[in-house]
């Protein structure tokens, strides 16, 4: 099957070069795109043509760190006592929520997230999942839900010792099963301050066995550094280095706010990646990210706050101006680095045949030289009109067309009511 985009203005996502013409988009995990002189008159039965006159077409987006499991928390009643700090927020909100998730709620959370991603032009997600009382089968269920909508996913289970060793052993087994089946997966850990040495060693051994990587929060709040130092006599990144977490180019450290120079040097000298999540950091009042002293292996995520990567890029830029002298080119390339993380590490499904079609009636001229000005100050996910994922149309005219969106949304809303009631008990 092929899809033809007639009269598209295509913007190369790396060079920002504008080219106008007809694009042929190939379907499949590693399908490509090419310009054709004309759209053939004798189309195959499955072929599609989209009229893209006046539309901008570019590579769709990918999210470097997400928590689909938090999707049903949107609009949830707040805890009876407002959390005083980051640790209380974890204890009173997130660790209560993830323990309340059953297999159906895990599935609904993933579907809800994948719908939001699709509508925002996000066609691949690196997810960090937690449901300590619904571990078995959760990774495949999440992957299946994303697949149903048409969004690619690299999942993992957020393991920790906070629910006892039986839960973490189950999580290791679930992760090992998915990796043993040859399916894309990382080995997830919550954070240094909730992971003991035994679990850390087992997680790294599992990642090594299957040539995977560790996906873990690092130095999000000072509590991670303080607890790590009190228990292990070293800093978070030093501990991770010693344990072997940083040996893998598939490893992702998340946040990295409270890192000293030595830790930044260690990270820079390792093949590991870092995911920045500016809005989550603002929301949790844990500090502001700065990439100072880090390598260019920094990408952007949403940390479960939402699924809109254009919004994440804007937040990284506007809140990065002061602490790290952020500029448009630097933050745009940080937004796009997730594609390099995925391709360099051999994960498929995030190739050139993932596209957004933007209905952006630019109020001023838009071209290669000023595109980033438009991207950060003019464009928004409201301009995402259609989305092509792996060569397949999943959003058309701002509606998800890969599934019955209304039906899923009704199920998700009912699931949210059920979860909120459970949490209020
Ligand atoms: Zn996170």
């Amino acid at each position: 099957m092929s899809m033809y985009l007639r009269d598209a203005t295509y913007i190369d996502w790396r060079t920002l070069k504008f080219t106008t013409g007809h694009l042929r988009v190939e379907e499949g995990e590693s399908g490509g795109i090419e310009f054709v002189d004309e759209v053939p008159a004798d189309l195959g039965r499955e072929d599609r043509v989209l009229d893209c006159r006046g539309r901008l077409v570019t590579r769709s987006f990918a999210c470097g760190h997400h928590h689909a499991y938090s999707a049903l928390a949107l609009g949830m009643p707040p805890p009876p006592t407002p959390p005083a700090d980051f640790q209380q927020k974890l204890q009173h909100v997130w660790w209560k929520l993830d323990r309340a998730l059953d297999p159906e709620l895990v599935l609904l959370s993933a579907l809800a997230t994948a719908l939001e991603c699709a509508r925002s032009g996000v066609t691949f997600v690196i997810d960090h999942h937690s449901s300590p009382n619904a571990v078995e089968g959760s990774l495949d269920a999440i992957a299946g839900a994303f697949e149903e909508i048409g969004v690619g996913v690299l999942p993992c289970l957020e393991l920790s010792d906070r629910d006892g060793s039986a839960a973490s052993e189950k999580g290791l087994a679930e992760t090992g099963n998915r990796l043993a089946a040859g399916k894309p997966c990382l080995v997830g850990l919550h954070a240094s301050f909730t992971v003991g040495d035994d679990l850390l060693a087992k997680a790294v051994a599992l990642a090594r066995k299957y040539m995977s990587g560790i996906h873990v929060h690092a130095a999000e709040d000072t509590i991670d550094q303080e607890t790590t130092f009190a228990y292990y006599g070293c800093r978070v990144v030093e501990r991770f280095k010693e344990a072997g977490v940083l040996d893998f180019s598939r490893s992702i450290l998340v946040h990295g706010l409270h890192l000293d120079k030595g830790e930044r040097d260690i990270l820079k000298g390792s093949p590991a990646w870092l995911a920045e999540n500016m809005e989550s950091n603002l929301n949790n009042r844990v500090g502001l990210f700065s990439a100072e002293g880090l390598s260019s292996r920094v990408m952007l995520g949403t940390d479960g706050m939402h699924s809109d990567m254009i919004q994440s890029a804007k937040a990284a830029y506007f809140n990065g101006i002061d602490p790290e002298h952020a500029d448009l080119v630097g933050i745009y390339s940080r937004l796009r680095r997730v594609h390099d993380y995925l391709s360099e590490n051999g994960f498929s499904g995030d190739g050139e045949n993932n596209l957004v079609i933007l209905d952006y009636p630019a109020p001023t001229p838009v071209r290669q030289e000023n595109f980033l000005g438009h991207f950060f100050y003019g464009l928004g996910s409201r301009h995402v009109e259609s989305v092509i994922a792996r060569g397949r149309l999943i959003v058309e005219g701002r509606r998800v067309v890969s599934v019955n969106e209304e039906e899923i949304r009704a199920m998700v809303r009912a699931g949210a009511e059920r979860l909120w009631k459970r949490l209020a008990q």
Side-chain angles (χ1 to χ4, degrees):
M1 187 206 102
S2 288
M3 172 151 294
Y4 293 91
L5 307 184
R6 200 199 300 270
D7 294 317
T9 298
Y10 176 73
I11 305 167
D12 184 298
W13 63 279
R14 284 189 193 275
T15 64
L16 306 183
K17 182 172 175 251
F18 279 46
T19 311
T20 300
H22 313 308
L23 266 178
R24 188 177 81 84
V25 186
E26 201 185 349
E27 194 182 345
E29 286 291 311
S30 48
I33 54 172
E34 60 169 353
F35 278 99
V36 291
D37 291 338
E38 53 190 281
V39 175
D42 55 334
L43 291 169
R45 215 158 51 91
E46 303 264 287
D47 292 346
R48 280 288 312 267
V49 181
L50 275 191
D51 183 6
C52 290
R53 233 170 321 166
R55 305 293 188 266
L56 301 178
V57 178
T58 192
R59 178 79 173 264
S60 56
F61 309 103
C63 176
H65 178 74
H66 207 326
H67 295 286
Y69 80 85
S70 70
L72 306 185
L74 182 64
M76 182 173 77
T81 341
D85 56 21
F86 179 66
Q87 189 170 21
Q88 284 191 10
K89 208 163 196 177
L90 291 176
Q91 285 166 341
H92 298 173
V93 181
W94 301 115
W95 294 350
K96 270 184 79 175
L97 180 136
D98 68 5
R99 287 183 188 120
L101 295 175
D102 57 31
E104 194 204 359
L105 293 173
V106 169
L107 183 70
L108 292 173
S109 304
L111 285 168
T113 301
L115 281 180
E116 293 306 311
C117 287
R119 275 174 163 263
S120 309
V122 172
T123 53
F124 202 101
V125 168
I126 302 175
D127 191 61
H128 201 244
H129 175 69
S130 182
S131 58
N133 294 315
V135 169
E136 269 170 27
S138 59
L139 293 173
D140 282 353
I142 291 164
F146 273 83
E147 185 61 37
E148 201 179 328
I149 312 291
V151 176
V153 66
L154 173 59
C156 77
L157 259 179
E158 173 189 306
L159 307 176
S160 78
D161 286 314
R162 67 182 156 93
D163 291 298
S165 59
S168 55
E169 286 297 331
K170 245 189 208 173
L172 283 167
E174 168 74 8
T175 306
N177 287 342
R178 189 165 163 90
L179 286 167
K183 297 171 185 168
C185 189
L186 295 175
V187 182
L189 292 171
H190 173 250
S192 173
F193 75 108
T194 60
V195 172
D197 277 341
D198 184 50
L199 176 57
L200 182 58
K202 283 177 176 164
V204 171
L206 193 59
R208 204 178 297 285
K209 181 174 174 187
Y210 292 105
M211 291 187 290
S212 181
I214 302 286
H215 186 176
V216 60
H217 297 121
E220 177 176 7
D221 182 67
T222 49
I223 190 179
D224 199 14
Q225 290 290 8
E226 286 158 7
T227 311
T228 299
F229 201 84
Y231 278 69
Y232 310 103
C234 60
R235 295 182 65 89
V236 170
V237 172
E238 292 166 348
R239 182 172 180 229
F240 284 163
K241 178 181 190 278
E242 191 60 34
V245 169
L246 307 183
D247 293 351
F248 314 113
S249 62
R250 292 183 170 191
S251 282
I252 303 169
L253 269 57
V254 184
H255 299 301
L257 264 63
H258 303 278
L259 302 177
D260 68 10
K261 180 167 184 313
E263 290 176 293
R264 286 170 192 267
D265 288 344
I266 293 171
L267 263 184
K268 191 174 183 178
S270 85
W273 287 69
L274 193 136
E276 169 189 353
N277 303 267
M278 182 59 84
E279 286 156 303
S280 166
N281 300 152
L282 292 168
N283 182 49
N284 288 326
R285 297 161 71 200
V286 288
L288 287 178
F289 176 79
S290 168
E292 201 186 327
L294 297 173
S295 74
S296 66
R297 286 184 304 280
V298 178
M299 52 188 172
L300 300 182
T302 63
D303 204 24
M305 291 276 291
H306 54 74
S307 299
D308 182 343
M309 290 309 296
I310 301 178
Q311 190 177 320
S312 277
K314 288 182 182 184
Y317 171 61
F318 292 113
N319 296 288
I321 294 174
D322 201 25
E324 57 166 345
H325 309 293
D327 60 49
L328 300 183
V329 174
I331 300 297
Y332 177 79
S333 74
R334 206 177 280 175
L335 166 73
R336 292 303 194 178
R337 285 292 271 156
V338 60
H339 306 308
D340 299 326
Y341 167 86
L342 292 166
S343 63
E344 286 169 17
N345 283 303
F347 294 112
S348 65
D350 181 53
E352 298 292 335
N353 60 352
N354 291 275
L355 298 165
V356 274
I357 296 157
L358 302 164
D359 175 15
Y360 176 59
T364 57
V366 52
R367 45 185 171 248
Q368 180 174 2
E369 310 83 76
N370 71 2
F371 178 67
L372 292 186
H374 281 276
F375 188 87
F376 284 92
Y377 293 92
L379 262 167
S381 61
R382 68 187 182 282
H383 299 115
V384 173
E385 185 181 58
S386 300
V387 180
I388 295 169
R390 286 168 284 172
R392 220 161 53 86
L393 195 63
I394 64 166
V395 174
E396 185 174 13
R398 296 184 171 81
R399 302 293 302 164
V400 179
V401 292
S402 47
V403 290
N404 184 333
E405 188 178 350
E406 284 316 311
E407 207 174 278
I408 292 178
R409 287 202 185 278
M411 282 160 44
V412 168
R413 280 192 291 269
E417 292 281 14
R418 189 159 70 76
L419 172 68
W420 298 355
K421 263 189 207 137
R422 185 176 285 180
L423 287 169
Q425 280 165 7

